[in-house]
Amino acid sequence: MSRIAYVNGRYRPHDLATVHIEDRGYQFADGVYEVCEVKDGALIDTTRHLARLERSLSELEIPEPMGRKPLVAVMREVVRRNRVRNGMVYIQVTRGVAPREHTYPMAGTPSALVITARAADPRKAAKTAENGVAVISVPDNRWERVDIKSVSLLPNVMAKEKAKRAGAKEAWFVDADGYVTEGSSTNAWIVTADGALVTRPAEHGILKGITRAAILDLAQRDNLTVEERPFTLEEAYAAREAFITAATTLVMPVVRIDDHAIGNGQPGSIASGLRERFHEVVEVTAV
Ligand code: PDD
């Protein structure tokens, strides 16, 4: 079946879907994005994802391409047209098309909106989660505004490639003081010896993950102890468990960080339990 992409008001065959060469996303990485999980033919946590999209746009003074309701309608339509049961929806908004000048384009320049959907095999992800993944650490060389979900992702791209070449699935950024900030496309968590979940506060240095927020809800519901505080790489090496979260990976156990096995080198029971129960606390929007 051929894939369909939504590009600036039109549904186009994926292979033929294009944007202008002077799109500011292409020339300046001047845009933002969101990734939403699709599970059993439904969108997961759209309200939170779209609230974060609106915040990213507002921080960069990029006009919203359309209101939240029509945006959800287009997301659902893209999922329907691509017959995605499980996978993800990708939304990208850039500051639009204009002659190349660093300054923002003329008021009234419409922002550009692209939405795509892609299927993923949940059985493959489950298999990966059964084994757990390896992580490497890299210095955090990103700008300060990583709270904005910008498409400007070069440090993240380079870190993930480094992880791949090292046989790992993710790279954890470490700040100048030795504290882990987050993964190149995931939030980072550890579990202490007495079973507390530790994750960096979302005020500074990380993207405020939507999956992270759902895990905090789940932890509260299930009376798990949560410590929102920075943790060092050394603390992570010695942790009972570690895991990463994102709309794409959900809760993924980490079994190795650099050369250190985490816990007994197997996925931990807390991380695995959170993965199992994750969808009990999310918002589900039928397609
Ligand atoms: N990445 N931190 C970073 C740097 C991310 O890029 C992401 C998501 C997260 C987790 O956020 P959420 O739980 O809302 O997905 C944290 C997406 C999935 C991506 O770039 O593909």
Side-chain angles (χ1 to χ4, degrees):
M1 196 203 74
S2 58
R3 289 177 68 196
I4 301 291
Y6 174 91
V7 185
N8 294 324
R10 292 209 171 89
Y11 294 93
R12 302 271 293 142
H14 196 275
D15 294 349
L16 304 174
T18 51
V19 293
H20 195 278
I21 54 165
E22 285 198 309
D23 187 290
R24 290 182 63 97
Y26 179 59
Q27 292 194 322
F28 293 112
D30 188 357
V32 301
Y33 74 107
E34 278 298 325
V35 177
C36 258
E37 187 201 359
V38 179
K39 180 175 163 55
D40 301 330
L43 295 168
I44 302 300
D45 271 342
T46 28
T47 304
R48 276 176 162 167
H49 279 283
L50 295 184
R52 186 173 64 185
L53 179 68
E54 288 160 16
R55 179 181 177 278
S56 295
L57 291 169
S58 133
E59 291 295 305
L60 297 177
E61 298 178 51
I62 298 175
E64 285 178 24
M66 58 173 71
R68 202 183 285 190
K69 261 193 155 166
L71 194 52
V72 174
V74 177
M75 289 164 70
R76 295 171 65 201
E77 186 63 22
V78 171
V79 172
R80 264 200 300 269
R81 288 191 187 216
N82 287 281
R83 301 207 186 118
V84 171
R85 292 284 307 159
N86 293 286
M88 65 168 203
V89 182
Y90 178 82
I91 308 164
Q92 177 170 317
V93 183
T94 72
R95 205 183 298 276
V97 175
R100 188 181 180 278
E101 295 285 347
H102 286 68
T103 49
Y104 297 174
M106 227 163 50
T109 302
S111 42
L113 172 63
V114 169
I115 302 184
T116 56
R118 191 162 87 187
D121 185 354
R123 284 165 307 186
K124 205 173 149 207
K127 190 89 202 134
T128 306
E130 270 172 38
N131 296 323
V133 298
V135 162
I136 61 162
S137 62
V138 295
D140 199 335
N141 56 356
R142 301 174 299 160
W143 72 328
E144 275 177 10
R145 296 307 310 276
V146 294
D147 57 302
I148 299 170
K149 203 164 170 55
S150 157
V151 295
S152 180
L153 288 171
L154 256 191
N156 309 59
V157 165
M158 293 174 77
K160 187 80 95 186
E161 179 64 22
K162 192 170 179 194
K164 185 182 171 191
R165 291 181 189 185
K169 272 277 188 294
E170 181 57 300
W172 277 8
F173 289 120
V174 180
D175 70 15
D177 300 317
Y179 291 99
V180 173
T181 53
E182 62 181 332
S184 68
S185 66
T186 58
N187 286 120
W189 302 70
I190 57 170
V191 179
T192 63
D194 36 6
L197 307 181
V198 184
T199 195
R200 189 178 173 105
E203 280 87 58
H204 189 72
I206 69 167
L207 179 76
K208 196 170 186 177
I210 304 306
T211 318
R212 177 185 178 280
I215 291 299
L216 292 176
D217 290 348
L218 182 58
Q220 189 173 34
R221 190 201 72 176
D222 293 355
N223 289 319
L224 300 175
T225 308
V226 175
E227 297 172 13
E228 276 190 86
R229 61 166 175 86
F231 59 89
T232 62
L233 196 53
E234 274 64 38
E235 189 179 1
Y237 290 156
R240 178 165 130 190
E241 296 185 24
F243 61 94
I244 53 179
T245 56
T248 41
T249 53
L250 308 179
V251 180
M252 186 57 68
V254 170
V255 293
R256 184 161 58 83
I257 304 172
D258 295 327
D259 291 332
H260 301 260
I262 304 306
N264 62 3
Q266 300 293 318
S269 58
I270 293 183
S272 301
L274 291 170
R275 182 180 177 87
E276 243 174 70
R277 303 194 302 283
F278 172 71
H279 290 102
E280 293 170 14
V281 293
V282 298
E283 178 199 25
V284 175
T285 306
V287 166

